[in-house]
Amino acid sequence: ESGGRGEKMADQIPLYPVPRSTQRRAAYYTNAPAAQRHNRYQVEDESSHLDEMPLMMSEEGFENDESDYHTLPRARISQRKRGIEWFVCGGWKFLCTSCCDWLINICRRKKELKARTVWLGCPEKCEEQYPRNAIKNQKYNIFTFIPGVLYEQFKFFLNLYFLVVSCSQFVPALKIGYLYTYWAPLGFVLAVTVVREAVDEFRRYQRDKEMNSQLYSKLTIRGKVQVKSSDIQVGDLIIVEKNQRIPSDMVFLRTSEKTGSCFIRTDQLDGETDWKLKVAVSCTQRLPALGDLFSISAYVYAQKPQMDIHSFEGTFTREDSDPAVHESLSIENTLWASTVVASGTVIGVVIYTGKETRSVMNTSNPKNKVGLLDLELNQLTKALFLALVALSVVMVTLQGFVGPWYRNLFRFLLLFSYIIPISLRVNLDMGKAAYGWMIMRDDNIPGTVVRTSTIPEELGRLVYLLTDKTGTLTQNEMIFKRLHLGTVSYGTDTMDEIQNHIISSYTQAHSQSSGNSTSVTPSRKVQSSAPKVRKTVSSRIHEAVKAIALCHNVTPVYESRAGVTGETEYAEVDQDFSDENRTYQASSPDEVALVQWTESVGLTLVNRDLTSMQLKTPGGQILTYYILQIFPFTSESKRMGIIVRDESTSEITFYMKGADVAMSSIVQYNDWLEEECGNMAREGLRTLVVAKKSLTEEQYQDFENRYNQAKLSIHDRALKVAAVVESLEREMELLCLTGVEDQLQADVRPTLEMLRNAGIKIWMLTGDKLETATCIAKSSHLVSRAQDIHVFRPVTSRGEAHLELNAFRRKHDCALVISGDSLEVCLKYYEYEFMELACQCPAVVCCRCAPTQKAQIVRLLQERTGKLTCAVGDGGNDVSMIQEADCGVGVEGKEGKQASLAADFSVTQFKHLGRLLMVHGRNSYKRSAALSQFVIHRSLCISTMQAVFSSVFYFASVSLYQGFLIIGYSTIYTMFPVFSLVLDKDVKSEVAMLYPELYKDLLKGRPLSYKTFLIWVLISIYQGSIIMYGALLLFESEFVHIVAISFTSLILTELLMVALTIQTWHWLMIVAELLSLSCYIASLVFLHEFIDVYFIATLSFLWKVTVITLVSCLPLYVLKYLRRRFSPPSYSKLTS
């Protein structure tokens, strides 16, 4: 009953997307009476037109229908209201930052990037001054290093406060005790930080220097000259050897390879491990010798530098030939910086250097991540500071404002300054280093690296986990699973039938004379009784396999006989394409899987260069196909095509393969494609549709002329080329549908299950299509069996988004699947509503996501929920998401190391994430919380004692403990036991893995909250007062003894309190306790100026100290015992 009522309620709640002012806005623009009716759908239709209309300055502009001018005085009034309180509340911050930004902008004006004309080998002909080709990864230079590091330190309230306190000691009137009591701890903290930063900086500097001083050969009129990488200029001709890094962005002019092309490795640039094929400009490749590059007069026109590494437009022009030669340049003629030559030697002309290279433009400065725990502690120190001020004011008031009271106030502030512990930062930083060390030493998760040591506690309270799919949840290893021809479907168990068909069709073709056109439909003569139109199954299989074997961008690479050098050579001379040492190189693992499959059924790709491809039939015959055109795969077109000419029959065929969405409109009408694609996607297969079209010689010639013309145009080149290619993509004959499976990584299912039970909401952000993403989400148990999946229908306008969101609002506890473009629409109009609904989902899958969109989703989650996010990915496309999240985890995958280098933590497998969070994250957070509160307690105790002491001695602003005692107290006497809390753990790691619900407890932030903090404050005040009053009651005539008794009791109390806090003892903890005690006893010999050694040896001293210590600690032990007895925490139930 209540469920029904709830749904009715949900129907009645209107999602009013259009504010009242927009209704007026609609009327204002259309002047139609219909807009005045308060019909909400009506208004929605109006508002969809608004998107094309110019937006006014502000909402206020729409309040009155006459004109904009009336809004101006009003705006001024609202400005005036923001007077003094605005300035106090944060206006000054705003003013300061805007002034600084203005100054920075003046200092380094961004130079406008322009298109350029580059003459071959003539750097002096350049009109512009281009940036130096030097790599610079350093954060600071010599002048900014010290200010920069200090700023990073004193940004925190804690450190700034200490700086002020320490500086005040130079004023004689305020001097309390020795200078070193204040400067020594501060100096130590700063020294550690500066040294750490300096070492990092020096390493960066050395890496940069090494890169910048690499030598390259530069071609000049006089011959080859060695030149440093940093001295290369735009227009230089540079020779790059095999396995050498390309120093700057170049246009590829010549290569030593006969084919006129070479391979490069791009894993440093885009994170992909496969090789890319690059083509030399044919005009310069044809020149007889190297030196001829100087005898011709030629230039390259290049577009202005931009970020996109997958596109380039330019032209190559040779002036001195008759007629002038024009060639269009595209991405395949470029060699980007930071890639490595994989075959042959290349010569290129430099077009972009330094900051304008693609690789530098694509690296964003990663933000310095500050943990949430650090921010919370910053808040607590501010609270402590307020307490400190209040205490000092109380003291001065009790004094009765006598004499120079403001000076006394300041002296009290300094006296009690120990309330805020400076050792907090040191202890925490050392703690973090220790956690990092433990994570790297853990044998259960080998190969895990901590790259950002400042945020291990964040791993203990994550709420959202955003993961990539390909390569992170799946292995990125493709296996061919299914071939579907419309009437028949072949799976893994029936592949041998395909093999038999292929063998029979080729042996028939071979047995007949190869002169007539038998190779097209080899089975026609044998089955002459069958009708001509309906092809036999055998011939259809043959056509399909041949299409798959030809339509791709795969190159077979042979390891040379002499395995000593390990050189990759093309064994063209001996035509010995032996199977043992052949490997395939391609830009996507799907393509390699397809070509390996055709090899397994008998049709093998044995050789490929720029102009031709050779296939080997089962009978060992070599078939040659000339490549006339190739249209590479792009993420926009989602398809690739190739036009080949069969050598034996001279027939021209256009083959095409691509995603079903792109191909369904191109192929001839059929009734099975869509349905079968859906079926395969539900099995978790990645589908590709293969089609072909036969062309006559005239058709092809006409196409080629239009295509070359489009390629030379400078404006809208991409659009024109696409239009010409589309003229061919009509009514193609559908050959087959292929299904390739991407296998899941090891133990993905249990890991996701564990994370879900730990209260972490998992979002999968992938570039894959909706069906595949949904199916992986089910098979990896990202969405549990019982849950429904709500697939968000594609929406394009505000009205559609509104209706679809309402439909989604009625569903309860179901996973959401949404595509990137629908997401974009929803975020544009209903950001708040959409995020609110999505955050309640147990799992969300976003498919067809662009890399920038992944980062945007992370940012939205952080802003909307304020909860901690963690991003997991493995490729270059996940870097932006990893850097944006509070915690970035990189998986070292097939796609290279780029993501794991940019991440805060890098793991070798996805399954290690479970242990990293459940065990290490949880422990780090609990330990840091305990450690920081203990350090605060330690300093509060001594401050309480100081306060009691001052109040007893007529509010004198004199310090209780002088010089070394204060420093020794927070370092040598209590440092080891307190720091040994870092080794504490409440449950064994096996238990933590078994019960992920324990992790859920931490999400509320209970280990460190104002409540726990207050409890510790009360404990400190109690203990401090007891020790001081006890010492005052029991002390003998001299002041010296009060110091001895109270200080000894204080240290014993601290050591006992550590013992009380610890949950699981570790042998190092006991060592630390004993070490501290012995340190104290040994140091008494030197401290005779503070403590009377003869008095300490007496019995009365011992019993007094024992009594005081027991009174300060026993009640707490009793309380702890009672609490464990009557309201035990959840983990203690598991440990018993």
Side-chain angles (χ1 to χ4, degrees), residues 656-812:
M656 189 149 209
K657 72 162 191 264
D660 49 322
V661 264
M663 298 291 288
S664 54
S665 58
I666 292 172
V667 295
Q668 293 165 350
Y669 173 76
N670 57 21
D671 51 5
W672 59 273
L673 179 64
E674 199 172 332
E675 186 186 348
E676 287 305 329
C677 275
N679 290 343
M680 281 196 194
R682 276 188 279 284
E683 290 176 47
L685 303 178
R686 296 160 77 113
T687 53
L688 282 173
V689 182
V690 185
K692 76 165 213 180
K693 184 179 191 177
S694 296
L695 302 177
T696 61
E697 193 67 48
E698 297 78 52
Q699 278 174 318
Y700 175 68
Q701 284 305 327
D702 169 52
F703 165 76
E704 191 180 30
N705 294 335
R706 287 182 299 138
Y707 186 65
N708 288 342
Q709 218 168 342
K711 268 168 61 175
L712 280 171
S713 62
I714 287 178
H715 301 293
D716 302 331
R717 177 188 296 177
L719 287 173
K720 289 177 184 166
V721 170
V724 174
V725 177
E726 266 169 35
S727 65
L728 272 190
E729 299 170 350
R730 293 197 186 123
E731 288 296 301
M732 296 186 73
E733 179 190 337
L734 174 60
L735 295 175
C736 66
L737 179 63
T738 63
V740 175
E741 186 189 41
D742 192 356
Q743 291 180 307
L744 284 178
Q745 290 243 14
D747 290 341
V748 161
R749 290 186 187 122
T751 306
L752 286 177
E753 200 110 344
M754 180 199 297
L755 294 173
R756 232 189 13 253
N757 291 339
I760 296 175
K761 294 190 174 130
I762 303 168
W763 289 38
M764 183 165 92
L765 312 179
T766 170
D768 250 359
K769 60 171 167 288
L770 196 124
E771 295 79 14
T772 321
T774 315
C775 129
I776 293 281
K778 281 180 189 158
S779 66
S780 66
H781 293 193
L782 176 75
V783 179
S784 59
R785 293 252 170 79
Q787 273 166 1
D788 285 343
I789 292 187
H790 176 81
V791 178
F792 207 84
R793 284 213 310 274
V795 294
T796 47
S797 67
R798 183 178 211 152
E800 289 175 15
H802 182 189
L803 294 170
E804 192 56 33
L805 276 171
N806 269 340
F808 175 47
R809 175 166 275 192
R810 289 179 206 122
K811 301 257 183 101
H812 292 289

Side-chain angles (χ1 to χ4, degrees), residues 607-673:
N607 183 31
R608 165 164 191 162
D609 52 38
L610 289 181
T611 52
S612 67
M613 241 187 289
Q614 286 171 315
L615 302 179
K616 191 163 81 174
T617 64
Q621 185 189 4
I622 302 277
L623 305 173
T624 305
Y625 292 88
Y626 296 115
I627 302 172
L628 303 177
Q629 296 289 351
I630 191 157
F631 314 113
F633 180 91
T634 64
S635 49
E636 285 79 47
S637 68
K638 301 186 181 53
R639 55 186 183 263
M640 64 119 2
I642 187 168
I643 303 181
V644 294
R645 183 199 298 261
D646 186 340
E647 185 192 35
S648 55
T649 63
S650 301
E651 288 198 347
I652 298 175
T653 319
F654 174 36
Y655 288 110
M656 189 149 209
K657 72 162 191 264
D660 49 322
V661 264
M663 298 291 288
S664 54
S665 58
I666 292 172
V667 295
Q668 293 165 350
Y669 173 76
N670 57 21
D671 51 5
W672 59 273
L673 179 64

Side-chain angles (χ1 to χ4, degrees), residues 116-406:
R116 56 199 59 186
T117 302
V118 181
W119 290 84
L120 267 58
C122 307
E124 63 280 353
K125 275 196 191 174
C126 292
E127 313 96 50
E128 290 272 329
Q129 183 70 41
Y130 297 117
R132 271 189 78 222
N133 191 40
I135 293 177
K136 186 167 184 291
N137 285 317
Q138 289 155 262
K139 280 190 195 168
Y140 313 102
N141 58 32
I142 285 185
F143 303 107
T144 57
F145 177 68
I146 296 291
V149 175
L150 293 183
Y151 170 72
E152 284 299 323
Q153 280 309 299
F154 294 126
K155 230 174 23 180
F156 285 104
F157 175 74
L158 190 70
N159 298 0
L160 185 63
Y161 164 77
F162 269 103
L163 182 69
V164 173
V165 168
S166 304
C167 290
S168 70
Q169 287 304 290
F170 289 122
V171 181
L174 303 175
K175 192 166 180 238
I176 294 179
Y178 301 102
L179 266 181
Y180 68 80
T181 52
Y182 290 92
W183 279 101
L186 184 70
F188 176 70
V189 176
L190 285 182
V192 169
T193 315
V194 169
V195 167
R196 195 180 61 203
E197 278 292 323
V199 169
D200 284 356
E201 192 66 5
F202 184 66
R203 279 192 191 141
R204 282 190 212 111
Y205 166 74
Q206 279 189 310
R207 273 206 305 264
D208 291 350
K209 192 173 170 192
E210 192 184 336
M211 297 291 258
N212 288 331
S213 52
Q214 280 177 351
L215 291 176
Y216 290 89
S217 304
K218 169 170 133 181
L219 264 187
T220 58
I221 297 180
R222 299 180 194 78
K224 292 183 189 174
V225 182
Q226 291 288 311
V227 56
K228 274 189 190 172
S229 164
S230 55
D231 296 339
I232 291 174
Q233 294 169 309
V234 173
D236 281 344
L237 296 176
I238 303 293
I239 303 172
V240 187
E241 303 289 336
K242 184 176 164 182
N243 291 334
Q244 218 181 354
R245 186 183 71 88
I246 293 172
S248 60
D249 290 357
M250 312 199 291
V251 167
F252 185 11
L253 299 178
R254 272 183 85 91
T255 170
S256 58
E257 302 280 305
K258 301 186 196 70
T259 53
S261 64
C262 79
F263 279 109
I264 61 169
R265 292 198 291 271
T266 60
D267 50 344
Q268 292 302 312
L269 188 62
D270 55 7
E272 294 177 20
T273 49
D274 45 78
W275 296 4
K276 305 278 188 302
L277 187 75
K278 296 289 179 181
V279 186
V281 176
S282 56
C283 171
T284 47
Q285 178 67 23
R286 282 198 305 264
L287 294 174
L290 257 187
D292 296 341
L293 283 172
F294 284 101
S295 61
I296 64 167
S297 161
Y299 62 86
V300 169
Y301 171 79
Q303 63 184 130
K304 68 171 195 266
Q306 55 180 28
M307 282 182 68
D308 186 5
I309 51 176
H310 301 297
S311 74
F312 173 74
E313 289 180 9
T315 49
F316 175 88
T317 311
R318 180 176 172 185
E319 288 186 330
D320 55 358
S321 64
D322 194 47
V325 180
H326 293 285
E327 262 187 72
S328 88
L329 304 176
S330 69
I331 185 69
E332 59 182 19
N333 308 109
T334 58
L335 303 169
W336 293 146
S338 298
T339 56
V340 177
V341 180
S343 64
T345 306
V346 303
I347 294 151
V349 58
V350 176
I351 51 172
Y352 307 125
T353 52
K355 290 184 199 139
E356 297 177 341
T357 59
R358 294 288 203 262
S359 62
V360 175
M361 291 181 84
N362 272 291
T363 48
S364 55
N365 292 333
K367 55 178 187 180
N368 280 343
K369 295 189 182 178
V370 178
L372 187 60
L373 187 91
D374 295 333
L375 297 175
E376 287 173 348
L377 283 172
N378 209 20
Q379 293 297 340
L380 291 180
T381 44
K382 284 178 187 165
L384 284 173
F385 177 67
L386 292 177
L388 159 72
V389 174
L391 183 63
S392 309
V393 170
V394 167
M395 283 292 184
V396 174
T397 314
L398 291 174
Q399 247 186 356
F401 291 111
V402 271
W405 59 270
Y406 45 88

Side-chain angles (χ1 to χ4, degrees), residues 758-978:
I760 296 175
K761 294 190 174 130
I762 303 168
W763 289 38
M764 183 165 92
L765 312 179
T766 170
D768 250 359
K769 60 171 167 288
L770 196 124
E771 295 79 14
T772 321
T774 315
C775 129
I776 293 281
K778 281 180 189 158
S779 66
S780 66
H781 293 193
L782 176 75
V783 179
S784 59
R785 293 252 170 79
Q787 273 166 1
D788 285 343
I789 292 187
H790 176 81
V791 178
F792 207 84
R793 284 213 310 274
V795 294
T796 47
S797 67
R798 183 178 211 152
E800 289 175 15
H802 182 189
L803 294 170
E804 192 56 33
L805 276 171
N806 269 340
F808 175 47
R809 175 166 275 192
R810 289 179 206 122
K811 301 257 183 101
H812 292 289
D813 189 49
C814 72
L816 171 69
V817 179
I818 186 168
S819 67
D821 31 10
S822 304
L823 182 73
E824 194 84 358
V825 175
C826 288
L827 293 179
K828 188 172 169 189
Y829 298 115
Y830 298 110
E831 186 184 306
Y832 180 75
E833 288 87 349
F834 176 77
M835 290 308 284
E836 193 177 22
L837 291 173
C839 290
Q840 290 162 6
C841 292
V844 179
V845 178
C846 302
C847 44
R848 293 272 175 236
C849 265
T852 45
Q853 219 171 6
K854 291 183 180 183
Q856 184 194 2
I857 293 170
V858 174
R859 209 165 27 245
L860 275 175
L861 273 177
Q862 289 169 341
E863 287 166 9
R864 281 272 166 262
T865 62
K867 301 278 196 300
L868 291 181
T869 55
C870 170
V872 190
D874 70 319
N877 56 347
D878 305 316
V879 170
S880 50
M881 159 172 91
I882 285 174
Q883 287 181 345
E884 191 60 51
D886 297 294
C887 234
V889 179
V891 181
E892 289 183 21
K894 285 268 178 314
E895 296 185 30
K897 280 200 168 182
Q898 201 178 0
S900 73
L901 290 173
D904 306 313
F905 303 91
S906 90
V907 292
T908 49
Q909 282 174 306
F910 184 79
K911 64 175 181 185
H912 293 165
L913 200 62
R915 188 175 174 89
L916 188 67
L917 303 187
M918 297 302 121
V919 178
H920 293 288
R922 185 169 178 276
N923 283 349
S924 304
Y925 177 41
K926 291 199 79 151
R927 288 164 177 170
S928 275
L931 179 67
S932 51
Q933 298 189 72
F934 207 92
V935 172
I936 289 176
H937 155 257
R938 185 172 75 184
S939 54
L940 268 173
C941 270
I942 204 162
S943 294
T944 310
M945 290 169 66
Q946 175 71 53
V948 172
F949 172 75
S950 283
S951 54
V952 171
F953 284 97
Y954 314 109
F955 310 107
S957 48
V958 178
S959 69
L960 169 60
Y961 300 131
Q962 289 287 327
F964 186 75
L965 285 185
I966 280 281
I967 290 189
Y969 170 64
S970 61
T971 53
I972 203 161
Y973 300 146
T974 57
M975 186 171 75
F976 304 113
V978 171

